[in-house]
Amino acid sequence: MDCIFCKIANKEIPSNLVYESENTVAFNDINPAAPVHILVIPKKHIESLNELNDKDLMAELLFSVKEVCKKLNITDYRTVINTGKEAGQEVFHIHLHIISGRPLKWPPG
Ligand code: AMP
Ligand code: ZN
């Protein structure tokens, strides 16, 4: 399967990894929307939140968000999961965005 995030998780292509847990990795977004823009993904290929049924992995993904922020001293941040094309999902390997480093508007639009 040709999935860019699988390749990053398997370290087949270089990325700026900032954190790794047993079943997740986190790396810098290649096209950052803010001064801090990190993606947390499962090592296993899962297309979107709709296909994620493993509650332990769900917890580990969200816990990894906290661990990344703790490690990088990020206290104020937004966590986003885009699910499906209309919601803005472009890469169909589930990822949690961590966005920080500037004031963020709400609602996002
Ligand atoms: P989404 O629109 O929620 O699917 O988000 C996909 C994100 O992946 C975008 O913010 C992209 O900038 C980012 N992205 C795509 N390819 C790469 C890559 N090779 N390395 C890091 N981030 C990437
Ligand atoms: Zn994948």
Side-chain angles (χ1 to χ4, degrees):
M1 185 204 323
D2 200 31
C3 171
I4 188 92
F5 285 2
C6 280
K7 288 180 183 156
I8 289 174
N10 296 332
K11 303 182 178 94
E12 285 167 35
I13 59 168
S15 75
N16 193 338
L17 281 196
V18 297
Y19 174 81
E20 181 167 5
S21 72
E22 188 183 350
N23 299 298
T24 76
V25 295
F27 52 94
N28 285 314
D29 195 292
I30 203 167
N31 185 21
V36 174
H37 191 166
I38 294 164
L39 302 175
V40 177
I41 66 170
K43 292 178 181 175
K44 184 179 169 193
H45 182 84
I46 296 167
E47 280 201 1
S48 81
L49 188 57
N50 289 334
E51 284 77 33
L52 175 55
N53 297 309
D54 178 340
K55 289 182 182 170
D56 289 335
L57 184 55
M58 273 185 189
E60 190 174 332
L61 283 163
L62 200 52
F63 194 76
S64 294
V65 169
K66 267 167 56 86
E67 289 296 286
V68 167
C69 291
K70 193 164 83 181
K71 183 175 172 183
L72 301 180
N73 290 315
I74 300 166
T75 55
D76 297 36
Y77 56 95
R78 181 170 295 164
T79 307
V80 172
I81 305 175
N82 295 323
T83 304
K85 276 205 172 74
E86 195 169 311
Q89 187 174 3
E90 287 177 352
V91 177
F92 283 80
H93 179 133
I94 187 174
H95 46 282
L96 287 71
H97 296 256
I98 300 171
I99 299 165
S100 181
R102 65 168 169 81
L104 299 168
K105 289 191 192 125
W106 190 263

